[in-house]
Amino acid sequence: MKKLLTLLCAFMLALSLAACGAGDASGTPAEPDQGDPAPGMRIVFGDPLIKETEYKADDGTVLLTKTYWLPQLEVRTADDEVYTPVDAINNVLPQEYKAALAFNTEMQRAAAALDASAQEELEMARGHYAGLDAEQRACWTNYTEELIIDSICQHSGLASVWGVGYSNFGGAHGWESIRAWNFDLTAGEFLTLDALNEQSSTDSALGETLSHTLATAVLAQIDAQGLSEYYFEDYAS
C-alpha cells in the first residue's frame, strides 16, 4: 500500500507539471505564458526569497548551514511597474494582488519553518562536534538543511513550483524530499490533492474522483506490463 501511495503522489506531481515549461537548473523561471490577466494587471515572478547562513563553533569550524531559495510573486501594472497597496482605489485591493500575497505568504511560511529549527539543529551540531577528538574533527562534515526550488512555471492561470529539500544532521548520509506547490492565480488558492479529489469528474470515463482515476490508470499500466511489484520487476533490488 505504501508503494502504491508513493507512486500515486509521484504521478500527481508529474501531472501537475506536465503542461509547464520548466526553468533552468538555477531555478530561473522560463518565460511564462501570463494567461488571461485582468486589464492592466499581471502577475509575474519577482525577486525570490534567498538566504544562506553559516553557524560556526568558537574555533571557526562551520557547524550548520541553512539555505533556501523560494519564489515570490509580484503584480505589474500596465506601465510595467510593481503594484503596491498604496495604489489601491478606495482601499480595495485588486484580486491579482491578493492572489500574489497568498502565494508569497505560503513561501514565507516555509522559509520561517526552516529558520525556526536553526537553534535546535545548531545545539545538536555543537554537542556532536564537542564530543569529537582532534582526529575525528579533521573529518567533520557540518550539519545542513536546505530547500531549493528547481523549477518554476506559469501558464494559463496556474503557477507550479517544485524543488528539493535536503538535510544531513550527522548521519551516514543525508536525505532528500520533493516539495511542490500548485497555485490558482485567478482564485488565489493552492490546489491540493484532497481538494481536487472532492470534485467528482464530469466525464464518467475518468472515474468518480481524481484518486480513483489515478489508481485505475496506474493499475491498468501495471497489468498491461505484467509487473509483479507495482512499477518494478524487483522492488528490493
Side-chain angles (χ1 to χ4, degrees), residues 5 59 166 210:
L5 289 175
D59 64 3
Y166 175 78
L210 178 61

Side-chain angles (χ1 to χ4, degrees), residues 93-192:
L93 294 174
Q95 176 60 27
E96 291 85 355
Y97 181 80
K98 291 189 286 186
L101 182 62
F103 179 91
N104 293 346
T105 298
E106 175 61 18
M107 295 298 104
Q108 291 161 10
R109 186 204 61 78
L114 289 171
D115 289 335
S117 62
Q119 288 306 311
E120 180 180 358
E121 293 161 4
L122 178 58
E123 290 305 313
M124 290 171 53
R126 184 177 287 118
H128 186 175
Y129 184 72
L132 302 179
D133 59 30
E135 183 177 356
Q136 292 170 324
R137 288 187 177 188
C139 300
W140 167 257
T141 299
N142 61 269
Y143 286 23
T144 186
E145 185 175 28
E146 63 184 39
L147 176 56
I148 307 296
I149 297 303
D150 293 319
S151 181
I152 298 176
C153 63
Q154 182 178 345
H155 181 75
S156 299
L158 176 69
S160 293
V161 300
W162 79 280
V164 176
Y166 175 78
S167 61
N168 189 331
F169 301 129
H173 55 78
W175 62 279
E176 292 184 347
S177 61
I178 293 177
R179 299 287 302 274
W181 293 267
N182 297 296
F183 188 74
D184 185 331
L185 295 167
T186 302
E189 299 176 348
F190 285 92
L191 303 180
T192 65

Side-chain angles (χ1 to χ4, degrees), residues 1-8 214-215 217-236:
M1 180 58 73
K2 290 182 179 179
K3 297 176 186 176
L4 183 55
L5 289 175
T6 300
L7 188 57
L8 287 173
L214 294 178
V218 169
L219 292 174
Q221 291 181 31
I222 291 170
D223 182 66
Q225 297 177 53
L227 304 178
S228 59
E229 296 190 44
Y230 303 109
Y231 273 134
F232 308 95
E233 284 292 354
D234 183 4
Y235 185 82

Side-chain angles (χ1 to χ4, degrees), residues 66-85:
K66 300 278 282 191
T67 305
Y68 54 74
W69 191 108
L70 296 167
Q72 294 279 271
L73 293 175
E74 64 185 23
V75 177
R76 293 273 178 170
T77 67
D79 296 326
D80 200 32
E81 296 180 349
V82 176
Y83 173 85
T84 59

